[in-house]
Amino acid sequence: MTRSGTLVPTTVEARAAQLRWFAALFAIAVLTHGADHLRRGMNTVSSTIMALGTTQLILAAVTVVAVFLGLRWAAWAAVAIGFVSALAFAVVHLLPDWLGPFSDSFINAPAAAKVTGFSWFSAVFEILADAAFGIVGLRALGTWRSPRP
């Protein structure tokens, strides 16, 4: 809890520190999910998914570096990459294979996809970390507050 008795940081410094903590968590989640894709083999996803995942990885790295450098736009980037990634990974992995080359569905995945419990863990971990990073980015911008007790 912060000095004001809430879980929401109230000072700019406290919000920046929270954003850095969640940037680190976000980076760990991205790397964990990436490790699962390496374990499964890059041939298990379409070239579209590969290109989108690589783009997300680059934007995630830029955002994490921006947060730790304290760049002015870092919180905006956290909001964008956090929420877009959470939605995209949920659609790609948690919905049935409705989107063709835009899908790497874990729902009834064929054996060739090599989906395991670790795959599920890494995808859900990333989705939750992505959403949390977006929320903390909003807090850092001062545009979102959780209810006070």
Side-chain angles (χ1 to χ4, degrees):
M1 294 204 346
T2 64
R3 287 185 206 179
S4 65
T6 69
L7 295 174
V8 180
T10 56
T11 67
V12 172
E13 296 83 15
R15 288 181 183 171
Q18 186 180 52
L19 187 60
R20 286 190 301 274
W21 194 91
F22 276 87
L25 179 68
F26 169 73
I28 291 167
V30 168
L31 293 174
T32 301
H33 188 138
D36 180 61
H37 276 283
L38 289 174
R39 181 199 60 78
R40 291 174 53 209
M42 300 315 286
N43 60 339
T44 62
V45 296
S46 69
S47 58
T48 304
I49 293 292
M50 178 89 69
L52 292 172
T54 300
T55 301
Q56 190 265 354
L57 179 64
I58 292 166
L59 293 174
V62 168
T63 302
V64 169
V65 168
V67 167
F68 280 94
L69 291 176
L71 299 180
R72 183 178 302 230
W73 51 268
W76 285 108
V79 171
I81 194 73
F83 289 132
V84 169
S85 294
L87 179 62
F89 283 112
V91 168
V92 166
H93 290 306
L94 304 182
L95 292 180
D97 190 10
W98 294 333
L99 302 174
F102 292 97
S103 184
D104 181 22
S105 178
F106 290 175
I107 307 294
N108 297 321
K114 302 177 186 169
V115 173
T116 65
F118 181 69
S119 303
W120 279 96
F121 166 76
S122 69
V124 172
F125 177 37
E126 179 156 4
I127 292 165
L128 294 174
D130 294 345
F133 194 39
I135 290 168
V136 172
L138 285 175
R139 286 181 179 169
L141 292 170
T143 59
W144 185 82
R145 301 237 196 290
S146 62
R148 298 204 185 253

